[in-house]
Amino acid sequence: METVKLIEMVNTLSDEQEPAANVLEYLNDAMARINIRLKANLPYLTLEDGNQAIFDEKWQRALLVPFGVGRIKQQDSSQFEYSDAYQEFQINLADMAVQYDVPLVYRDDASDALGMPGIYEN
């Protein structure tokens, strides 16, 4: 799904009209967390025409949308709403970590299981 469509979904679900540039930052915060959890280097999103996340739409909807909604609701101090959105993101991220096979080109080979590269090489 194109990035602009994700931004529209986030704004609709949050019942707000955050500027696209702000929502893009929230979506990329989610991408950073996904990359950390999956030990990956998946590319960040941009507002360029046709830009989209490289993983399937089901994961985009399950991860990026709730995280973006959570960020917006966090600004409103809507604790229950942002807590629910972040919890949904965390549950879905755990599912993705088990089910999604990161393409070889995006794997972060610099990190080991402990997150400390080179620990056993010394």
Side-chain angles (χ1 to χ4, degrees), residues 59-107:
W59 295 119
Q60 294 173 43
R61 289 175 179 268
L63 294 164
L64 301 177
V65 173
F67 192 89
V69 170
R71 276 287 197 258
I72 290 172
K73 291 302 179 181
Q74 189 173 10
Q75 293 177 55
D76 292 344
S77 299
S78 302
Q79 183 178 3
F80 292 114
E81 291 175 302
Y82 74 73
S83 293
D84 288 349
Y86 289 148
Q87 182 178 20
E88 181 181 346
F89 170 79
Q90 290 296 335
I91 290 167
N92 293 338
L93 181 57
D95 287 342
M96 186 184 199
V98 172
Q99 298 176 33
Y100 182 74
D101 188 27
V102 177
L104 284 173
V105 68
Y106 296 115
R107 290 187 186 163

Side-chain angles (χ1 to χ4, degrees), residues 9-110:
M9 289 180 70
V10 168
N11 273 327
T12 299
L13 286 172
S14 67
D15 198 27
E16 301 290 339
Q17 286 305 310
E18 278 288 311
N22 291 358
V23 179
L24 178 67
E25 291 301 317
Y26 310 151
L27 298 177
N28 281 328
D29 287 348
M31 290 298 298
R33 285 163 175 74
I34 292 166
N35 279 332
I36 291 166
R37 179 66 186 265
L38 300 181
K39 294 181 177 63
N41 288 311
L42 302 172
Y44 291 99
L45 303 172
T46 69
L47 290 175
E48 295 173 13
D49 285 341
N51 181 258
Q52 59 184 358
I54 65 122
F55 44 84
D56 296 338
E57 184 175 331
K58 64 184 175 186
W59 295 119
Q60 294 173 43
R61 289 175 179 268
L63 294 164
L64 301 177
V65 173
F67 192 89
V69 170
R71 276 287 197 258
I72 290 172
K73 291 302 179 181
Q74 189 173 10
Q75 293 177 55
D76 292 344
S77 299
S78 302
Q79 183 178 3
F80 292 114
E81 291 175 302
Y82 74 73
S83 293
D84 288 349
Y86 289 148
Q87 182 178 20
E88 181 181 346
F89 170 79
Q90 290 296 335
I91 290 167
N92 293 338
L93 181 57
D95 287 342
M96 186 184 199
V98 172
Q99 298 176 33
Y100 182 74
D101 188 27
V102 177
L104 284 173
V105 68
Y106 296 115
R107 290 187 186 163
D108 185 0
D109 295 329

